[in-house]
Amino acid sequence: MLGLNKKDVTLLTFVAVLALFAPFILNPFPEGSAMAQFNAGYPDLMQRFAIFGIFAIGFNLLFGLTGYLSFGHAAFLGIGSYAVVWMYKLLDYNVLWGLPLAVVISGIFALGIGYVSLRRSGIYFSILTLAFAQMMFAISYSDLLGRFVGTTITNGETGLQVYTSDPQILLGANEPNTPHLFGLVMNNSFFLEVGAWQFTFNVGYYFSAIVMLVMFYLSVRIFRSPFGLMLRAIKSNNTRMSYTGLNPRPYTLAVFVISGMYAGLAGGLMAAMDPLAGAERMQWTASGEVVLMTILGGTGTLIGPVLGAGFIKYFENIFSKINDNVLHQWFSFMPDGLEDAMVFIVHPFIGKGWHLTLGILFMLVVIFLPGGLVEGGQRLAAWIRSKRGGAEENTKSSTEPAE
Amino acid sequence: MGILEIKDVGKRFGGLQALSDVNLSVKENSCHAIIGPNGAGKSTLLNCLVGKLIPDSGSVMFDGQSVLGRSPYEINQMGISRVFQTPEIFGDLTVMENMLIPIFAKRDGAFRMHAIESVLAEKQVIEQAEAMLEEMNMADKRHMHAAAMSRGDKRRLEIGMCLSQEPRLLLLDEPTAGMARADTNNTIDLLKEIKEERDITIAIIEHDMHVVFSLADRITVLAQGTPLVEDDPQNIRGNPKVREAYLGESA
């Protein structure tokens, strides 16, 4: 089906089910309960799951397949956002004009950056991409390009946004004044109340999720193609690659551009959810984040980056929201002195300190599960199978290639 | 005229004249061995043939075309395949995938953007790879990770990968270096088989005299970067100059 083998169809179905039922899956706790703050089923966060999923899937095509670690992918994210907001300013709020443009422009930039950076490999490649991204960040932040042209292009540190004075030549009389797809407003949500639960179905989330599924499908096809095989060959042995009559350069450049386009699309979708584009999206921390997502989920696996993106975004949003008041509530059953002590101990790991928690989790995963969350899942599955089926099945599963 | 014509090739590394006035002609469908003591310039010469090094002077013609200034992948596409001293294979991939890559390279050239088609749909390529694995007696190992195999099997796979491209010239760089005796003998048998069954020219660099005398039709002795003698194997064995330069007084 769809040109995939059975295993991949199962995986695609799994991701599709996760994506389509996310409003239920992410909202397991009833409204108003103590656990409700661990619910992640609100539009803003769900959109980020899908968008950063796309970003990480694209990054994994480059890093997972060829082993080239780009440290400047956030630049394409920013370019995508700027492209979409510019289309809002010039044409109208329909996201359909901006998204293809975001993909094309980030692809062109990726071609240039990739052409130069891919002359080197290893750490030198990483440094070159980082340098390019930081340059792009600096240019956007100071609107250097705009100053040359005489008009604003990135609107500097304020960030690019739509003003009433903008041309918006396609804007119709009854058109909504926020991003939409042919009248389907991204911000709109539909609520479903079931008992104490409230589930939110957001247009923007479903739009992003469907784009994410298409991009996931595309990445499965690339993984299974002769092109994907060549990319894995580059990672495995570049010397043999050259002496087998293959030119590694165009292969790495092609996948760099593809992965840049994925990032551009993700950036475009960010602006499609919220019509703003700022330079901070291009900062190196954002480039680092996608590296973490990919490694945490499982480098070179199909589903790993999606899981990694979800994991990090979940922790970022949920842990950073917990504050001392919440902690006091949690530990209120303890005697006063002990309660304060517990709050004091946990305090550095929550709120603004969630990075500390993330760092510890990342270390644990890298040390104990080098294959990321996917390896964790595989070990768990093998363990359950061995509990149930005995040793025979276990040896069979261990010889299968990891995916 | 041989299929490979090396004329007046010289190469200098700083103060070291690694090669000077190398003239060598490899006849089509022969097995030509290049031997010599350590530091004689054998590997430098080989690297000049495959595009890794560019000689300072002279010319290298393959089948009437110059190989100088071309990249390794271009030279491979001309029909020269190289087997390395330590087997260079795709260790992270399965044996089957290792075999598919050279066949794709032969069919599609140095680059082709076939990113949406499935590998599994390429029936013809898979059949060819299966056949080559069969010929190399490796069919049962096809799902194994290549890095997990023994040295001998890796060598066998590497030779199979080179052969699957149907090269006209096969370059072997000490193919049995660091191998156990049994693996060495297997490799010799394999190479003999290849020589007999295929229209292929083989140029081999080797230390092991046993290997050289079992395979070569013609031997060039290299000493201090320049060819000392070129002759048939039986004459090389008795040549006093060779003994002095290479085998040492005691041999």
Side-chain angles (χ1 to χ4, degrees):
Chain A
M1 197 177 89
L2 296 168
L4 302 177
N5 66 26
K6 225 176 119 200
K7 216 169 136 194
D8 293 335
V9 172
T10 317
L11 193 66
L12 189 66
T13 317
F14 176 65
V15 176
V17 169
L18 273 190
L20 297 178
F21 293 98
F24 295 110
I25 298 167
L26 295 172
N27 247 7
F29 308 113
E31 211 64 21
S33 73
M35 298 297 280
Q37 59 192 319
F38 291 107
N39 280 343
Y42 52 94
D44 192 39
L45 184 53
M46 288 198 296
Q47 288 165 2
R48 253 177 270 174
F49 285 157
I51 291 170
F52 279 91
I54 295 171
F55 191 22
I57 291 169
F59 184 77
N60 185 47
L61 284 175
L62 176 69
F63 179 51
L65 287 176
T66 67
Y68 277 80
L69 175 60
S70 162
F71 227 88
H73 254 50
F76 307 122
L77 204 66
I79 291 167
S81 291
Y82 283 125
V84 168
V85 177
W86 264 110
M87 284 299 103
Y88 292 156
K89 287 164 85 75
L90 296 176
L91 303 177
D92 70 358
Y93 270 116
N94 195 335
V95 297
L96 197 70
W97 322 129
L99 289 178
L101 187 75
V103 173
V104 170
I105 294 195
S106 51
I108 292 168
F109 272 88
L111 192 68
I113 294 177
Y115 184 80
V116 178
S117 305
L118 287 165
R119 291 176 169 270
R120 292 283 169 271
S121 60
I123 187 73
Y124 303 103
F125 168 78
S126 304
I127 296 289
L128 279 171
T129 50
L130 176 64
F132 270 112
Q134 284 303 90
M135 266 153 54
M136 307 260 292
F137 166 70
I139 290 171
S140 312
Y141 196 71
S142 59
D143 204 0
L144 196 65
L145 214 59
R147 270 190 264 162
F148 270 112
V149 192
T151 168
T152 178
I153 287 190
T154 60
N155 206 17
E157 50 192 292
T158 322
L160 197 64
Q161 47 186 300
V162 185
Y163 300 109
T164 41
S165 57
D166 286 327
Q168 296 200 287
I169 52 174
L170 291 179
L171 194 70
N174 299 321
E175 210 180 306
N177 230 347
T178 60
H180 66 90
L181 180 73
F182 297 113
L184 263 170
V185 176
M186 293 296 161
N187 278 338
N188 277 5
S189 290
F190 162 71
F191 299 96
L192 178 70
E193 306 263 359
V194 182
W197 284 268
Q198 189 194 47
F199 302 109
T200 315
F201 302 89
N202 173 261
V203 175
Y205 166 69
Y206 275 99
F207 179 66
S208 313
I210 287 164
V211 175
M212 193 266 279
L213 283 176
V214 172
M215 295 330 272
F216 181 72
Y217 170 69
L218 204 65
S219 99
V220 176
R221 291 297 294 257
I222 292 175
F223 263 69
R224 302 286 179 245
S225 70
F227 177 71
L229 181 64
M230 297 306 172
L231 297 179
R232 280 158 62 219
I234 291 173
K235 184 180 185 177
S236 181
N237 190 338
N238 221 338
T239 310
R240 180 36 84 197
M241 182 92 178
S242 309
Y243 286 92
T244 305
L246 293 159
N247 187 359
R249 267 287 196 75
Y251 280 104
T252 45
L253 186 57
V255 76
F256 190 84
V257 171
I258 292 173
S259 130
M261 285 168 149
Y262 265 75
L265 180 63
L269 281 172
M270 284 169 135
M273 300 301 117
D274 184 12
L276 290 171
E280 73 288 342
R281 224 162 256 179
M282 294 180 152
Q283 230 167 350
W284 68 271
T285 46
S287 299
E289 200 178 46
V290 74
V291 180
L292 291 191
M293 287 171 181
T294 309
I295 294 175
L296 197 67
T299 316
T301 62
L302 284 167
I303 198 176
V306 183
L307 296 179
F311 192 83
I312 288 188
K313 282 294 145 192
Y314 180 81
F315 274 89
E316 178 185 307
N317 282 270
I318 302 300
F319 269 71
S320 60
K321 257 192 308 189
I322 301 172
N323 55 28
D324 281 4
N325 288 335
V326 178
L327 284 183
H328 277 290
Q329 259 174 35
W330 284 2
F331 299 119
S332 58
F333 65 91
M334 293 177 172
D336 260 1
L338 201 58
E339 182 188 322
D340 288 341
M342 282 306 287
V343 172
F344 180 76
I345 292 169
V346 180
H347 175 83
F349 296 94
I350 51 149
K352 280 182 183 159
W354 80 275
H355 276 114
L356 199 58
T357 317
L358 179 71
I360 292 168
L361 281 171
F362 186 73
M363 271 162 52
L364 291 176
V365 166
V366 168
I367 293 168
F368 296 106
L369 293 172
L373 296 175
V374 169
E375 192 189 331
Q378 278 168 346
R379 284 202 202 170
L380 200 68
W383 181 74
I384 292 169
R385 231 176 295 150
S386 71
K387 281 254 154 182
R388 238 190 306 164
E392 193 193 340
E393 279 224 47
N394 196 20
T395 47
K396 197 181 143 228
S397 72
S398 62
T399 53
E400 276 169 25
E403 207 61 70
Chain B
M1 270 293 272
I3 187 165
L4 184 70
E5 291 283 339
I6 303 170
K7 284 227 165 68
D8 304 323
V9 163
K11 179 76 191 173
R12 173 178 277 280
F13 295 116
L16 176 76
Q17 189 73 39
L19 294 174
S20 54
D21 301 324
V22 178
N23 285 288
L24 204 114
S25 170
V26 178
K27 271 211 335 243
E28 195 156 4
N29 295 334
S30 71
C31 177
H32 198 126
I34 299 162
I35 63 172
N38 278 330
K42 303 185 298 287
S43 293
T44 308
L45 180 61
L46 191 73
N47 284 335
C48 287
L49 306 183
V50 294
K52 198 174 176 198
L53 290 176
I54 299 173
D56 303 329
S57 58
S59 71
V60 180
M61 304 290 277
F62 174 70
D63 199 22
Q65 278 183 298
S66 174
V67 305
L68 298 186
R70 294 181 198 249
S71 324
Y73 74 88
E74 289 173 310
I75 292 173
N76 174 280
Q77 292 283 359
M78 289 169 78
I80 302 181
S81 275
R82 175 181 180 177
V83 172
F84 286 78
Q85 195 169 341
T86 18
E88 292 278 2
I89 50 171
F90 302 112
D92 303 331
L93 309 186
T94 65
V95 171
M96 183 66 190
E97 286 169 333
N98 266 276
M99 201 52 96
L100 289 171
I101 290 168
I103 299 173
F104 275 123
K106 172 83 179 171
R107 191 193 70 180
D108 299 336
F111 173 69
R112 189 178 148 198
M113 185 80 197
H114 32 22
I116 295 299
E117 306 93 316
S118 170
V119 172
L120 297 173
E122 304 274 8
K123 296 272 187 288
Q124 226 182 334
V125 176
I126 291 176
E127 262 169 44
Q128 265 175 278
E130 296 272 8
M132 184 48 75
L133 286 178
E134 212 55 73
E135 198 180 328
M136 293 288 123
N137 286 326
M138 308 190 88
D140 54 325
K141 297 194 172 76
R142 70 168 74 116
H143 292 306
M144 230 172 129
H145 269 228
M149 295 196 299
S150 74
R151 180 70 171 260
D153 279 343
K154 283 182 188 165
R155 169 65 70 222
R156 201 169 253 281
L157 174 62
E158 192 186 24
I159 293 173
M161 287 164 72
C162 288
L163 288 180
S164 70
Q165 298 195 302
E166 290 159 11
R168 300 188 55 203
L169 174 63
L170 183 65
L171 297 174
L172 299 153
D173 187 2
E174 302 198 25
T176 63
M179 265 190 200
R181 196 80 243 178
D183 276 341
T184 304
N185 288 336
N186 284 338
T187 307
I188 294 174
D189 291 343
L190 176 67
L191 291 172
K192 271 186 177 162
E193 218 179 282
I194 292 166
K195 209 177 97 177
E196 278 156 24
E197 287 172 11
R198 290 173 179 266
D199 288 335
I200 193 168
T201 313
I202 299 176
I204 181 169
I205 283 180
E206 185 57 79
H207 255 315
D208 191 330
M209 286 302 117
H210 174 55
V211 179
V212 171
F213 288 114
S214 336
L215 287 170
D217 305 320
R218 191 87 181 154
I219 296 175
T220 298
V221 183
L222 216 59
Q224 285 161 358
T226 191
L228 198 66
V229 201
E230 188 190 319
D231 214 330
D232 293 335
Q234 60 269 30
N235 300 335
I236 292 284
R237 232 190 260 266
N239 192 317
K241 266 163 93 184
V242 177
R243 283 182 171 245
E244 194 186 326
Y246 182 70
L247 301 170
E249 296 294 347
S250 60

